[in-house]
Structure formats: structure tokens, C-alpha cells
Amino acid sequence: MLTCKIPLIRDSRIANYAIFAERFIMKQHKGMRPHDIVVLLKIVSKKDQQWFNKDLAAELFISPSEVSESLSRSAIAGLVDPAKRNVFTNALLDFLIHGIKYVFPAQPGSLGKGVLTAQSSPLMLKHFSSEEKYVWPNADGTGRGMTIEPLYPGAVKAAAMDNSLYNLMALCDVVRVGKVREIKKAEELLKELFKK
């Protein structure tokens, strides 16, 4: 009777290990993607509002599976709790201030029409008058300046629906393309917006 139980225990341990391996070892972190940052910024912009993955997906114009995978990557990176509900704002701020310009750099392109961003955004223009104008390329945009690609393709539509998210993404662009003084101000504003 004892000999019958040993293989069962061994098999259940193997099965449990296989589940563990699939969830934690095999799903290795393949690096953050630009829209992962926007998903986290969207959660920050919601403050204490309740949300579901499907809500984030609809508001960011990405699929629910992309939101789920994004939150999994952020959990592995230590930017969101294991339950994938709460953003570790200090860790995210640290990444935005010290890492985003290296991981997701922006290369200003030719002059074009679009949505004002970076130091040209309305929030930054309250503090600086910048001669250099930056825009996310968009045929319906009202601004004109050097084009920079937003963190992900749906940024313009998502920003139009959520001014808080727009401000956060624009401040990230300041860190990506701004000068030292502008970046310092963007850091201050990011900290303020994260606390509100």
C-alpha cells in the first residue's frame, strides 16, 4: 500500500512543480514595452476609482490580453503588486525619472502637425516658454512642431479622453527629450501628480 502512495506523491509534486515552472520560471521577463508605462500611468490617473482590465483596455485602445500581459511584466519588474492592482508609485517615479529616456528614447523628427507634447504641452507651458515645439504626429492635431513618436500608437486617442493621462504622458516626453531645467520641472510635476 505504501509503495502505491509514493509514486502518487511524486507525481503530484512533479505536477505542482510543472505549474510553478509555467507560471514563474518559464514566463521570464522579456523586458518592458512602451505601452506598459502607459498602462501604469492610466492606473495612477484613476486614483481611487475602481477599474478592471477591460476598462483599461477600452480607454487605452489596446486589447484586454495586452493589459493582462503588461501588468504581468510590470509585476515581474516590481512596478505593481503581485495582485496587479496597485502601482508602486515610488518605483514607477524612479523609473520615469532615471530610466525612461534610456529604455524608450525619443528621436525628434521633421516638422509636422499633431498634438502638443513634452515642453510644448499646456501643463509645461505654464512654467516654461519653449521655442522648440514637439508634437505627436496626428492629422487632427492643432499644434505644429518636431514630431516625436508617443509611447504607443493609441496615445493620442487615449489622451483625448483623459487629461490626467495626457499630462503624465507629456511629462514623460519632457524627460525623454527635454533639457536639464525642463526635466527637473517635469520631475517635480510628476511627483505632484502622483500624490494627488
Side-chain angles (χ1 to χ4, degrees):
M1 194 137 180
L2 183 62
T3 55
C4 291
K5 287 185 180 177
I6 292 171
L8 290 175
I9 291 169
R10 190 178 300 144
D11 289 344
S12 72
R13 285 184 183 162
I14 291 169
N16 287 340
Y17 179 77
I19 292 166
F20 172 82
E22 182 184 343
R23 288 187 183 160
F24 299 101
I25 297 172
M26 302 302 197
K27 279 195 170 183
Q28 293 176 357
H29 193 267
K30 302 285 188 196
M32 297 293 285
R33 299 197 180 139
H35 73 268
D36 296 344
I37 301 306
V38 181
V39 169
L40 297 174
L41 292 176
K42 182 65 181 178
I43 295 169
V44 169
S45 78
K46 286 188 165 293
K47 303 298 179 198
D48 296 325
Q49 295 174 38
Q50 188 178 8
W51 56 269
F52 297 98
N53 285 10
K54 64 178 183 169
D55 302 323
L56 297 181
E59 294 168 20
L60 294 174
F61 303 93
I62 58 178
S63 71
S65 65
E66 285 179 293
V67 171
S68 179
E69 290 167 13
S70 173
L71 289 172
S72 293
R73 286 188 294 271
S74 292
I76 293 168
L79 296 173
V80 70
D81 70 347
K84 303 172 193 164
R85 300 301 300 168
N86 300 302
V87 175
F88 294 138
T89 52
N90 288 338
L92 179 57
L93 271 170
D94 193 44
F95 175 74
L96 296 178
I97 292 167
H98 301 291
I100 196 167
K101 66 182 175 184
Y102 301 109
V103 180
F104 306 122
Q107 295 293 322
S110 58
L111 284 174
K113 187 179 178 185
V115 176
L116 293 168
T117 187
Q119 44 271 51
S120 312
S121 69
L123 180 61
M124 281 298 287
L125 287 174
K126 290 178 185 176
H127 305 281
F128 287 99
S129 136
S130 176
E131 291 179 17
E132 293 174 333
K133 300 285 184 200
Y134 295 97
V135 296
W136 294 327
N138 184 273
D140 298 326
T142 56
R144 188 158 180 76
M146 287 185 285
T147 57
I148 59 173
E149 288 302 315
L151 285 169
Y152 84 111
V156 172
K157 287 197 279 188
M161 292 177 56
D162 182 347
N163 196 55
S164 295
L165 178 64
Y166 171 49
N167 286 333
L168 290 169
M169 288 192 293
L171 290 172
C172 287
D173 284 346
V174 175
V175 177
R176 293 167 74 210
V177 299
K179 295 183 174 79
V180 174
R181 216 164 55 99
E182 296 160 339
I183 291 171
K184 283 283 181 206
K185 189 63 188 178
E187 290 173 13
E188 286 173 29
L189 293 170
L190 279 167
K191 287 174 183 172
E192 282 176 28
L193 291 174
F194 270 45
K195 286 179 186 171
K196 286 184 181 177

